[in-house]
Amino acid sequence: MKKLCQLGVLCNGVFLYSAILSAQDSPPSTASNAQTASAPAAAAASAGDLAKATQNPVASLISVPIQNNSNFAVGPYNRTQDVLNIQPVIPARISENWMLISRIIQPIVWQPNAAATTGGQYGIGDMNPTFFLSPAKPGKLIWGLGPAIVLPTATSTALGQGKLSFGPSMVALVQPGHWTIGFLVNNVWSVAGSAHRPSVNQMALQYFITYNLKKGWNINSGPIVTANWHNQAGGDAAEGDDTPPGGRWTIPFGGGVGRIMRLGAQPVNLSANFYGNAVHPPGASSWGMRLQIALLYPKKPKG
């Protein structure tokens, strides 16, 4: 199973690398040079709109991100945990003024045995659906509110919490000029599940900052800060002194690059990011890598 996990991580890296290579600009043909100046301008505007839509969690854009998270240096033997998230985002207009955005995250997890050099559990983790009610015609501040749910779908006790959890979720962002700046936050509490598993009270906060460059490229950062409120935290988390057993906080910093492009006729959003965990529970990962390809399905223009 360890070999399968390593092969999966390698395949993700090779796939992303080959996709980026395929995005290199081809030499302009004689026919393309003969096109009018308005066509490239329209294409650039369309690409810019698509880039902004992909960076907006409550945009009217169907997307299917496939995200691989490799978390390194787990436990005393520096094992690697791998989490492949399949997370479709589906918007639906429910009235003239309101949109309902469904965002479902289904993880497939390799959880190593941190106390040994080999072994671990592989399978499906807990599903996390979130639903946002958002204005269909937002102003400068784009926002959404709704419930976050954690379903105990894990195929092993090591891969999930064994609890059904609910809580509120909120997203807010602005997109001035080339920038996208915002955050997405939720807190869930367990309401049912195995009596032999600990109760759940946890927060996840993702702040995201993106600066869009030419030709679909961007520089971005989107770390996910988590807090397990049932764990006892000692010291000041802001100073990185949250290290007793059951540390409460995980606070990563980092970023990476991305690009909107096409693979054949399919628009995609590729990104690669690296994060270091300035604060983390003892034995947890100290740094990680996130690779993502998102399949994009923008609305076709009328007429």
Side-chain angles (χ1 to χ4, degrees):
M1 187 59 67
K2 178 181 178 182
K3 292 182 178 179
L4 286 176
C5 174
Q6 293 173 338
L7 179 60
V9 175
L10 178 61
C11 287
N12 274 279
V14 171
F15 175 74
L16 181 63
Y17 180 68
S18 62
I20 292 176
L21 285 180
S22 72
Q24 298 299 316
D25 297 323
S26 58
S29 64
T30 304
S32 64
N33 288 335
Q35 292 178 345
T36 62
S38 61
S46 177
D49 292 342
L50 185 58
K52 286 293 187 79
T54 63
Q55 295 153 18
N56 176 2
V58 290
S60 180
L61 170 71
I62 296 176
S63 64
V64 184
I66 302 171
Q67 181 188 100
N68 194 82
N69 298 274
S70 299
N71 301 310
F72 305 110
V74 176
Y77 298 103
N78 291 323
R79 305 291 305 278
T80 299
Q81 179 200 50
D82 198 75
V83 181
L84 178 67
N85 287 329
I86 302 171
Q87 43 192 60
V89 179
I90 304 172
R93 190 153 188 162
I94 58 175
S95 74
E96 182 180 351
N97 298 319
W98 295 99
M99 299 283 296
L100 179 66
I101 295 89
S102 304
R103 183 173 182 259
I104 301 169
I105 301 176
Q106 178 58 69
I108 302 172
V109 184
W110 163 251
Q111 179 63 45
N113 182 353
T117 57
T118 60
Q121 296 284 334
Y122 179 79
I124 294 173
D126 289 341
M127 181 184 290
N128 179 203
T130 306
F131 303 95
F132 293 105
L133 189 65
S134 179
K137 299 176 182 179
K140 292 184 178 180
L141 176 64
I142 303 168
W143 59 272
L145 293 170
I149 307 167
V150 179
L151 302 175
T153 56
T155 54
S156 167
T157 56
L159 306 180
Q161 299 172 329
K163 295 286 190 178
L164 174 64
S165 301
F166 289 92
S169 185
M170 176 183 180
V171 60
L173 65 142
V174 293
Q175 295 186 304
H178 293 280
W179 293 91
T180 295
I181 304 170
F183 70 90
L184 190 158
V185 62
N186 67 64
N187 200 103
V188 296
W189 294 264
S190 56
V191 296
S194 172
H196 303 290
R197 304 294 298 276
S199 59
V200 174
N201 178 6
Q202 64 184 30
M203 180 203 72
L205 166 65
Q206 181 178 27
Y207 62 89
F208 46 90
I209 304 171
T210 302
Y211 184 79
N212 292 296
L213 305 169
K214 295 180 179 180
K215 298 184 179 180
W217 288 96
N218 66 72
I219 302 171
N220 64 81
S221 179
I224 300 175
V225 177
T226 61
N228 184 342
W229 302 116
H230 284 325
N231 284 352
Q232 296 298 317
D236 186 353
E239 297 178 359
D241 191 24
D242 186 14
T243 55
R248 176 175 293 170
W249 291 91
T250 300
I251 304 179
F253 294 93
V257 297
R259 192 183 189 191
I260 305 292
M261 51 168 281
R262 288 182 180 271
L263 294 179
Q266 176 64 57
V268 298
N269 180 19
L270 301 176
S271 63
N273 300 79
F274 292 87
Y275 295 100
N277 293 323
V279 177
H280 61 85
S285 171
S286 59
W287 69 286
M289 174 179 67
R290 181 192 302 162
L291 303 178
Q292 177 174 286
I293 176 171
L295 308 178
L296 310 176
Y297 299 95
K299 291 182 178 180
K300 294 182 180 180
K302 297 180 180 179

